[in-house]
């Protein structure tokens, strides 16, 4: 069995951002030389997500608006922020959107369903944060 590991660092301009990372993941699958296997992609921070959905900007705004209704940004109202942090909302947003995705690798390519793309969701940005890509297989 072969394996290939890559860490990507992202530093968003805004506090909240959704970024398409599909091309970066595809590049690592190509570099790995793995034809049949699995590709794991996960956020390495507890205030950011990796998820799969449609590459449609309206939907991305809908995600951010919906998350803001569920867990609005506020310094007050979160027990977590009593520790001196201000990102209680970001931990909750991350949990809703998920930590990681696993995509099958078939014939050397990510085996997506129709319209599926991989996104990084940042909920407490403006500082460097890492994403892990791990591909295993033959
Ligand atoms: Zn925190």
């Amino acid at each position: 069995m072969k394996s290939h590991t890559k860490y990507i660092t992202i530093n968003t301009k805004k506090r909240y951002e959704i970024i398409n990372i599909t091309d970066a993941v595809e590049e690592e699958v190509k570099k790995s030389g793995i034809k049949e296997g699995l590709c794991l992609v996960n956020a390495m921070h507890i205030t950011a997500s990796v998820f799969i959905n449609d590459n449609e900007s309206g939907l991305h705004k809908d995600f951010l608006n919906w998350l803001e209704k569920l867990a609005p940004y506020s310094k007050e109202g979160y027990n977590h922020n009593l520790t001196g942090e201000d990102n209680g909302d970001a931990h909750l947003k991350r949990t809703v959107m998920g930590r990681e995705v696993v995509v099958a690798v078939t014939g050397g390519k990510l085996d997506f369903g129709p319209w599926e793309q991989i996104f990084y969701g940042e909920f407490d940005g403006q500082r460097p944060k890492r994403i892990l890509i791990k591909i295993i297989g033959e």
Side-chain angles (χ1 to χ4, degrees):
M1 189 193 76
K2 286 195 274 186
S3 78
H4 177 82
T5 304
K6 171 78 176 182
Y7 299 91
I8 294 175
T9 301
I10 291 189
N11 191 345
T12 59
K13 290 195 182 85
K14 292 183 263 176
R15 186 178 180 89
Y16 307 117
E17 239 173 273
I18 291 175
I19 296 166
N20 191 336
I21 58 169
T22 310
D23 288 350
V25 178
E26 262 169 2
E27 200 183 305
E28 295 311 315
V29 171
K30 208 179 284 178
K31 275 190 207 162
S32 76
I34 291 166
K35 300 293 175 208
E36 296 295 318
L38 293 173
C39 175
L40 164 80
V41 187
N42 70 268
M44 299 191 81
H45 297 263
I46 51 182
T47 53
S49 293
V50 171
F51 62 94
I52 289 180
N53 219 298
D54 194 0
N55 188 28
E56 198 278 303
S57 60
L59 178 67
H60 297 175
K61 284 181 197 155
D62 291 337
F63 277 130
L64 293 175
N65 291 342
W66 176 65
L67 289 167
E68 204 52 36
K69 280 182 207 158
L70 287 175
Y73 172 76
S74 170
K75 286 188 165 65
E76 280 93 47
Y78 294 99
N79 292 303
H80 181 62
N81 291 354
L82 297 174
T83 63
E85 293 205 51
D86 73 339
N87 62 2
D89 69 307
H91 289 277
L92 299 179
K93 286 166 173 144
R94 181 271 170 102
T95 302
V96 168
M97 296 304 286
R99 172 182 181 266
E100 78 277 308
V101 300
V102 177
V103 183
V105 176
T106 306
K109 290 188 169 166
L110 293 168
D111 202 346
F112 286 125
W115 306 110
E116 284 188 331
Q117 300 266 288
I118 305 172
F119 297 93
Y120 174 71
E122 177 60 75
F123 309 116
D124 184 18
Q126 299 167 314
R127 56 199 170 100
K129 288 169 127 179
R130 290 193 306 163
I131 299 167
L132 167 64
I133 302 169
K134 170 84 80 174
I135 304 143
I136 58 169
E138 302 284 333

